[in-house]
Amino acid sequence: MELWFRRPSEWENDERMDALFCVFKQRDLNPLHYDAKMKFWIETILSYCEDHGLLQIDVPTMVSCFRRKGKTPKCLDRIFEELNRQKRFMSSADYSKSQQTSWMSWTLNKVASPLNWMSAKTPIDQDVFIIKELVDKKAQHVLETLQAQVSIPTFDCVISYNTFVDTCRQCSLQDETSNNLVVSSLIHDKKILIDFIDDAKTVKVVKFAAPGSSVVRPITEIENSVLLLRHSKERLEEQLKKSEEHIEALLNEIRRHLKNSNRSAAMKTLRKKKLLEKEHDKKESTIEHLNSVLSQIEQTDCSSLVINAYSSGVSAHKELLRKNGLSPDTVENMLDEVHDMLDTQAELDEAFNRPIIGDNVDMNDLESELEDLLNQPAPPTPIANSLVVKESEEKVIDEQKLPVTDNKEKILSNIDKSREQDNPFADLQLRLQKLELDDHQIWLVKIPLVYSIIEKEFPTVDLLEQHEQFVYVCLIPRLYLDKFKHYVLYHHGTYKIIVSNVAEWNLKINKRRQKRSLSAYNNPLDSIYLERFLDYEEQQNWQNLLTKSSLTKNYVKLHPIGFTYENRTLTVVQISTKLNRLSKKKRAGVWIDAGMHAREWLSMGVANYIIIRLLTLKNENKKVKDVLKHFDFYILPMVNPDGYEYSRQTDRLWRRNRSPTIYSDFWIPHKSCSYGVDLNRNFPFEWDTYAGSRSPCQETYRGQLPASEAEVKNIIQFLTNKKEEDNDQFDPHRSMRVYFNLHTYGRYWLLPWSYTKHLKPNDFNSMLNRSAEAIKTMSTTMNNNSSYHVGQASHLLYPCGGTSIDFASTIIKHSFTIELPPQWISLPLCEQNNNQTDEMDCSVGFFAGEERITLDGNEIFGGVIHYLWSLMRDSYRRMPI
Ligand SMILES: [Zn+2]
């Protein structure tokens, strides 16, 4: 009762209250007394309900509310009857009838439950009553509160449903039923309406009558637009908050890695954090943009008010309008722009949900940030996080036991940690090289046991590295392989063989190390560059050398066209003998790309071969010289550097890129499910029709959306000249005429279409004949009686959708995919190949050696040059290129 502000003064008077608590006697006996008692109770009940925010009430509840010194009033049913007669109390059934139209106008199904709306006449003490005047009063209060928040009537009268509910709560409407009674009343009196502003009917809004107007008007276009903008902004702000938390968590993870001296893991996490921060910044700037658009709209609204005032006034004001650059048209235009904005906002939203493809992360920045973190005192380890402490303790113990030879500590101290942090196993490789182990395997093991337990069982198995909780890299003597495997499986663990023969592996690494360092070769045209499959870094260095060397710099321009998921740059090498000539005439472009599939190393070598040959022969060979007179070459030798590096370091037969799939957040024993999209199924033409898998576990996974992958997007942008305004990267004077897409293997020269067997592109036959002619010239350069098969891709291979050649063919007439050697049919059958391991999957065709670069490069260079030369020849005969 303490909340009952207006408790009547009689309440303390026992004698008086006893009389008031009695049942009513007949009015005739003492009308004065009867009326006074009636008046007392009506006022008391109403003030009680209002003070307690009760909008509906029943007799038993009221009786118990007025319990006083062990007694309860006996007269309340008579009061309820009177209030009902006066229509100040309405039974739930009557009330629902009176409000019918408004109940129908919004979804009230769930509301009906506490009140049995449709029940028949019930005895007074069993019915529930709605206190009409209090509902109306509350409704008025809510409306006034809403109107008080309006600053721009043109679009502030529409709010999200959640904001509306919050306002109701502010007006002390505590329970849902009271809330619904007020809403129903407001709808009934045409003070508010409830609707959706988006087509999907997910954004529910409330519009209320503007201050000064008696009824609510329908939602206008502009209100709709502004609301969608505000809604987008709110959602972005929510996302922003989440990503801030995520960044903080990553920072802690980095500190933990540093504490465990796991520098490579720290670097990886730092990279992740950087990407997240970039994304965060992008969102922040989008919000800023939205804010500025919103304020622009507000200003527009003010301007339109001014215009309305003026246009109803005298024509003399027109001059003033003109001076201020305002006319009804300009306002209209601004509104149009807002609508365009909304369309792009939808796209933006979608883009934010896709993996980050963003900008480059400077490695030097990462390095120095890592150093800073390393020098920072670590924050105190939270007590709850005892597992972390345990992990590092174990690491110390295990490392003491690790040595297989005695000089291990020396070895560890000799490791130059800063040298190869890009390769998470670099540290491991160095250690193993010096240990001279054979007859061992290295496994990556995930098992829900702390390592000390494993160690007790298998003292001969060594822990080389701990990656995260319960994930270990172990060195296992061959003798114990079976036993250890059963032990892992018994404990519901999983394992993956990283190195099946440590001795052999060491040998290979040593060989590779000896070969390293191309830095001594200052001549970018040196044949050394054709004797290697360059790694990404070497490739970048070489390309830079092309732009610096006096031999080549006047003919080479690099176009960094974007970044991969792992932030490697995609660089197009432009070769042009007229690079420095100013000419407005558009030059014909030839595009060549390679390495779309990570394991197809030979294609990348051949692309480099073409670059070197063009630059070497530009003045020496008449045909090459002629071709370069008419064509500029745009060559992207490494379409998929992320996948390629992964193929070099971890899985030689990796095909796709390395962007995370929807499975990447889970531990799935099949590594192939978590990362990678087949780029040659991701192009936005006939995507998801044939031979592109929808499953992230399949080699030919097409991606979640057409052109979802950064590599694909960047290529498309370049080919279609979409970024012409950016002169640094894009050459407005070119128009792409010929497209070559290099793969291995099969020895095919393939024409579009790839997606269908039933259709052929225009001029298919002339392209076919020209290709056949080109192939003829190239077989003369080879001492090989078998030559390329030429034909439509869908026929020679199989129909598949989303391929680059089909996409290219929609904008570039002469588009080809070339499958380099070896020839499919000359491959040994699987069962004949005794040396084959599980991993090789019978696909020895991908293992073409480095010596093939020159052989196959020479062959295909001849074919490409001849094709282009024949186009030129025929263009003189009036045939359009
Ligand atoms: Zn391929």
Side-chain angles (χ1 to χ4, degrees):
M1 286 253 179
E2 62 281 0
L3 281 173
W4 189 13
F5 309 117
R6 285 174 284 176
R7 185 189 295 200
S9 54
E10 290 95 332
W11 200 259
E12 306 308 324
N13 183 335
D14 288 349
E15 204 181 323
R16 175 87 178 114
M17 285 315 293
D18 281 350
L20 286 166
F21 267 43
C22 288
V23 280
F24 274 94
K25 297 183 180 76
Q26 283 203 338
R27 186 171 184 272
D28 304 346
L29 297 174
N30 187 345
L32 213 66
H33 182 241
Y34 183 99
D35 290 348
K37 180 168 172 175
M38 184 64 80
K39 183 168 176 279
F40 168 84
W41 276 115
I42 288 177
E43 279 171 4
T44 303
I45 288 171
L46 286 171
S47 66
Y48 181 89
C49 287
E50 190 173 356
D51 288 354
H52 288 81
L54 297 173
L55 301 185
Q56 50 148 338
I57 196 68
D58 55 76
V59 176
T61 311
M62 212 69 280
V63 168
S64 69
C65 286
F66 292 130
R67 179 178 291 275
R68 181 182 178 281
K69 298 191 174 170
K71 291 177 188 168
T72 51
K74 303 277 183 276
C75 53
L76 293 193
D77 41 356
R78 179 67 200 88
I79 314 283
F80 271 61
E81 270 168 24
E82 177 58 25
L83 281 164
N84 192 19
R85 195 187 60 75
Q86 292 180 16
K87 295 229 177 335
R88 299 174 75 180
F89 273 24
M90 286 173 89
S91 76
S92 50
D94 289 344
Y95 190 78
S96 81
K97 257 180 243 160
S98 79
Q99 300 278 314
Q100 218 159 20
T101 49
S102 60
W103 290 125
M104 306 301 274
S105 71
W106 63 304
T107 50
L108 277 175
N109 305 349
K110 58 179 180 172
V111 175
S113 55
L115 308 171
N116 191 5
W117 295 113
M118 295 305 166
S119 69
K121 202 94 186 121
T122 34
I124 198 98
D125 57 348
Q126 286 170 29
D127 208 343
V128 175
F129 291 89
I130 314 300
I131 311 167
K132 182 83 171 60
E133 62 196 74
L134 290 188
V135 172
D136 290 347
K137 212 167 169 180
K138 262 292 180 239
Q140 186 60 27
H141 182 200
V142 169
L143 184 64
E144 281 166 8
T145 311
L146 291 171
Q147 289 175 338
Q149 288 157 9
V150 170
S151 65
I152 303 170
T154 316
F155 36 77
D156 280 352
C157 292
V158 193
I159 54 174
S160 78
Y161 188 75
N162 288 341
T163 314
F164 175 74
V165 172
D166 284 346
T167 309
C168 290
R169 213 169 284 142
Q170 277 170 36
C171 299
S172 55
L173 280 168
Q174 303 296 352
D175 59 300
E176 207 185 342
T177 313
S178 310
N179 210 32
N180 291 330
L181 284 168
V182 167
V183 172
S184 154
S185 160
L186 285 167
I187 293 175
H188 180 257
D189 295 342
K190 297 199 168 53
K191 299 294 183 198
I192 66 166
L193 60 85
I194 297 178
D195 207 346
F196 296 90
I197 48 165
D198 59 333
D199 296 334
K201 294 216 179 283
T202 51
V203 186
K204 198 172 172 185
V205 297
V206 175
K207 179 165 183 190
F208 51 90
S213 66
S214 57
V215 291
V216 61
R217 310 219 172 274
I219 295 177
T220 63
E221 275 288 296
I222 178 76
E223 282 170 333
N224 205 64
S225 311
V226 169
L227 228 79
L228 274 173
L229 279 177
R230 287 178 176 170
H231 179 73
S232 310
K233 201 185 91 180
E234 277 163 25
R235 275 184 40 210
L236 276 174
E237 279 164 351
E238 274 166 34
Q239 288 177 11
L240 211 60
K241 231 170 107 188
K242 271 191 207 143
S243 69
E244 271 160 17
E245 285 162 13
H246 195 172
I247 288 168
E248 187 58 38
L250 287 178
L251 193 64
N252 286 333
E253 198 185 319
I254 294 168
R255 290 201 181 104
R256 189 161 60 80
H257 285 317
L258 288 176
K259 206 176 151 198
N260 292 345
S261 309
N262 193 345
R263 196 187 165 89
S264 62
M267 197 65 175
K268 249 183 175 169
T269 315
L270 187 60
R271 200 188 264 259
K272 231 197 257 174
K273 178 174 148 281
K274 279 276 160 190
L275 289 175
L276 212 63
E277 280 168 350
K278 294 231 164 212
E279 189 192 19
H280 181 272
D281 290 351
K282 264 192 226 159
K283 280 183 187 163
E284 221 166 38
S285 67
T286 309
I287 290 175
E288 236 167 65
H289 186 46
L290 284 178
N291 273 332
S292 80
V293 170
L294 279 166
S295 75
Q296 209 182 335
I297 294 170
E298 284 168 16
Q299 282 166 18
T300 310
D301 180 64
C302 295
S303 316
S304 78
L305 285 179
V306 173
I307 286 162
N308 287 339
Y310 280 158
S311 57
S312 64
V314 207
S315 60
H317 282 135
K318 276 185 188 162
E319 182 58 22
L320 192 66
L321 271 177
R322 197 187 55 74
K323 264 191 195 156
N324 289 322
L326 278 171
S327 74
D329 279 351
T330 55
V331 176
E332 281 279 305
N333 288 344
M334 270 178 118
L335 289 180
D336 279 352
E337 273 171 31
V338 169
H339 280 273
D340 290 347
M341 265 288 308
L342 285 168
D343 290 343
T344 46
Q345 181 56 31
E347 286 164 26
L348 263 176
D349 267 5
E350 195 210 284
F352 281 136
N353 293 326
R354 267 183 256 140
I356 314 150
I357 45 149
D359 313 298
N360 198 10
V361 174
D362 189 323
M363 285 308 287
N364 293 337
D365 282 358
L366 283 182
E367 274 293 321
S368 64
E369 188 166 342
L370 201 63
E371 282 311 316
D372 288 350
L373 282 166
L374 208 54
N375 296 331
Q376 263 172 30
T381 314
I383 298 159
N385 215 345
S386 58
L387 257 176
V388 175
V389 181
K390 202 136 187 248
E391 245 174 53
S392 57
E393 278 168 8
E394 265 165 29
K395 198 171 164 75
V396 174
I397 299 164
D398 292 332
E399 283 197 344
Q400 280 164 4
K401 296 209 169 176
L402 178 72
V404 181
T405 67
D406 290 325
N407 57 352
K408 181 228 160 203
E409 252 165 36
K410 220 200 260 168
I411 294 163
L412 274 180
S413 65
N414 284 340
I415 290 167
D416 179 7
K417 285 194 175 184
S418 66
R419 225 164 56 203
E420 292 205 22
Q421 51 239 340
D422 273 350
N423 176 1
F425 294 109
D427 186 26
L428 206 64
Q429 287 169 2
L430 271 163
R431 281 156 67 179
L432 287 164
Q433 269 169 37
K434 309 201 178 177
L435 292 176
E436 287 181 25
L437 300 163
D438 56 359
D439 258 12
H440 281 71
Q441 284 196 349
I442 299 174
W443 292 10
L444 183 71
V445 179
K446 189 180 167 85
I447 184 170
L449 295 173
V450 288
Y451 200 79
S452 52
I453 297 176
I454 304 172
E455 190 171 41
K456 259 181 216 148
E457 197 81 19
F458 288 93
T460 48
V461 168
D462 282 292
L463 175 70
L464 295 176
E465 235 167 61
Q466 178 157 359
H467 276 250
E468 52 196 90
Q469 201 189 351
F470 306 140
V471 180
Y472 311 103
V473 178
C474 303
L475 182 71
I476 309 140
R478 198 165 292 277
L479 263 178
Y480 293 91
L481 290 177
D482 266 0
K483 252 186 160 177
F484 192 60
K485 174 176 153 191
H486 286 123
Y487 179 76
V488 171
L489 296 177
Y490 177 80
H491 288 284
H492 304 289
T494 51
Y495 71 98
K496 187 193 145 200
I497 304 173
I498 300 177
V499 179
S500 57
N501 186 328
V502 172
E504 254 176 44
W505 192 56
N506 278 342
L507 216 72
K508 258 192 251 166
I509 291 164
N510 281 333
K511 225 172 127 190
R512 221 164 56 203
R513 286 185 162 275
Q514 281 161 13
K515 279 176 64 175
R516 284 236 159 166
S517 185
L518 289 162
S519 54
Y521 296 89
N522 293 329
N523 177 0
L525 304 180
D526 195 294
S527 64
I528 185 81
Y529 292 104
L530 299 177
E531 290 159 11
R532 307 265 177 102
F533 291 129
L534 306 184
D535 67 24
Y536 169 75
E537 204 185 311
E538 290 165 342
Q539 178 79 25
Q540 292 293 105
N541 291 341
W542 173 64
Q543 286 167 183
N544 288 331
L545 188 60
L546 285 170
T547 62
K548 288 192 186 107
S549 161
S550 57
L551 285 172
T552 48
K553 66 178 181 192
N554 292 331
Y555 311 98
V556 177
K557 189 176 173 191
L558 300 184
H559 302 266
I561 61 165
F563 301 95
T564 65
Y565 177 77
E566 290 177 353
N567 270 310
R568 293 191 176 87
T569 313
L570 297 174
T571 312
V572 171
V573 182
Q574 179 186 350
I575 295 172
S576 169
T577 48
K578 300 187 172 175
L579 204 57
N580 297 324
R581 293 206 196 149
L582 289 170
S583 161
K584 290 235 162 134
K585 202 180 144 232
K586 279 207 173 187
R587 303 256 302 149
V590 180
W591 172 277
I592 299 173
D593 68 45
M596 194 168 276
H597 290 139
R599 62 191 172 202
E600 300 171 6
W601 297 7
L602 180 62
S603 67
M604 293 174 255
V606 165
N608 285 351
Y609 180 92
I610 294 172
I611 293 173
I612 289 183
R613 292 301 273 175
L614 284 171
L615 290 166
T616 320
L617 298 177
K618 61 184 187 301
N619 294 321
E620 288 171 21
N621 180 297
K622 172 89 172 63
K623 214 166 166 184
V624 174
K625 194 176 172 180
D626 282 351
V627 165
L628 277 167
K629 240 185 230 167
H630 290 83
F631 292 97
D632 288 344
F633 283 75
Y634 297 87
I635 303 177
L636 176 59
M638 230 177 243
V639 172
N640 178 12
D642 293 354
Y644 174 55
E645 282 299 305
Y646 188 74
S647 152
R648 287 182 75 95
Q649 287 167 24
T650 312
D651 179 351
R652 176 62 183 86
L653 283 172
W654 191 256
R655 170 183 169 97
R656 310 181 293 180
N657 73 351
R658 293 294 299 165
S659 71
T661 68
I662 44 168
Y663 288 154
S664 64
D665 289 339
F666 306 97
W667 175 269
I668 290 181
H670 297 289
K671 60 181 189 233
S672 54
C673 297
S674 301
Y675 294 94
V677 168
D678 185 346
L679 298 178
N680 208 23
R681 301 288 182 275
N682 188 243
F683 279 79
F685 181 73
E686 294 293 325
W687 181 80
D688 194 27
T689 49
Y690 292 101
S693 174
R694 292 179 184 183
S695 160
C697 297
Q698 295 292 315
E699 284 280 62
T700 54
Y701 176 47
R702 76 211 187 323
Q704 270 200 297
L705 291 164
S708 59
E709 300 312 292
E711 296 85 351
V712 171
K713 236 179 288 188
N714 291 322
I715 291 175
I716 291 172
Q717 267 177 351
F718 191 81
L719 288 180
T720 54
N721 241 348
K722 274 279 163 58
K723 281 190 186 168
E724 277 185 345
E725 75 279 2
D726 192 349
N727 280 334
D728 232 23
Q729 293 179 20
F730 294 88
D731 180 357
H733 298 314
R734 70 175 157 72
S735 78
M736 225 47 102
R737 294 290 165 79
V738 190
Y739 175 93
F740 290 107
N741 172 229
L742 304 183
H743 289 254
T744 67
Y745 59 98
R747 231 170 143 81
Y748 295 112
W749 181 296
L750 302 169
L751 275 64
W753 303 107
S754 162
Y755 79 95
T756 175
K757 285 185 171 186
H758 307 299
L759 296 170
K760 292 194 164 49
N762 296 339
D763 297 323
F764 178 84
N765 285 336
S766 85
M767 279 161 66
L768 188 72
N769 293 336
R770 198 185 298 279
S771 301
E773 184 190 316
I775 288 163
K776 239 186 234 163
T777 64
M778 69 196 210
S779 41
T780 58
T781 66
M782 288 290 290
N783 291 328
N784 195 334
N785 47 11
S786 61
S787 77
Y788 278 76
H789 280 44
V790 59
Q792 192 170 13
S794 52
H795 280 280
L796 285 186
L797 297 178
Y798 41 82
C800 58
T803 60
S804 75
I805 179 188
D806 279 2
F807 173 81
S809 185
T810 63
I811 47 175
I812 303 167
K813 184 167 138 191
H814 304 275
S815 293
F816 308 98
T817 289
I818 294 172
E819 296 278 0
L820 296 165
Q823 197 148 11
W824 178 259
I825 46 168
S826 68
L827 289 174
L829 294 172
C830 285
E831 53 265 33
Q832 293 170 338
N833 183 7
N834 293 329
N835 292 332
Q836 167 225 328
T837 70
D838 285 345
E839 279 176 300
M840 292 174 93
D841 198 21
C842 309
S843 310
V844 291
F846 296 113
F847 290 101
E850 288 169 328
E851 73 284 354
R852 302 286 320 183
I853 299 173
T854 314
L855 293 172
D856 294 312
N858 187 33
E859 193 178 36
I860 214 68
F861 181 73
V864 165
I865 290 293
H866 188 85
Y867 192 94
L868 299 171
W869 179 82
S870 83
L871 280 176
M872 267 168 49
R873 177 195 63 200
D874 294 344
S875 79
Y876 289 132
R877 297 186 201 150
R878 192 183 45 81
M879 184 183 275
I881 293 175

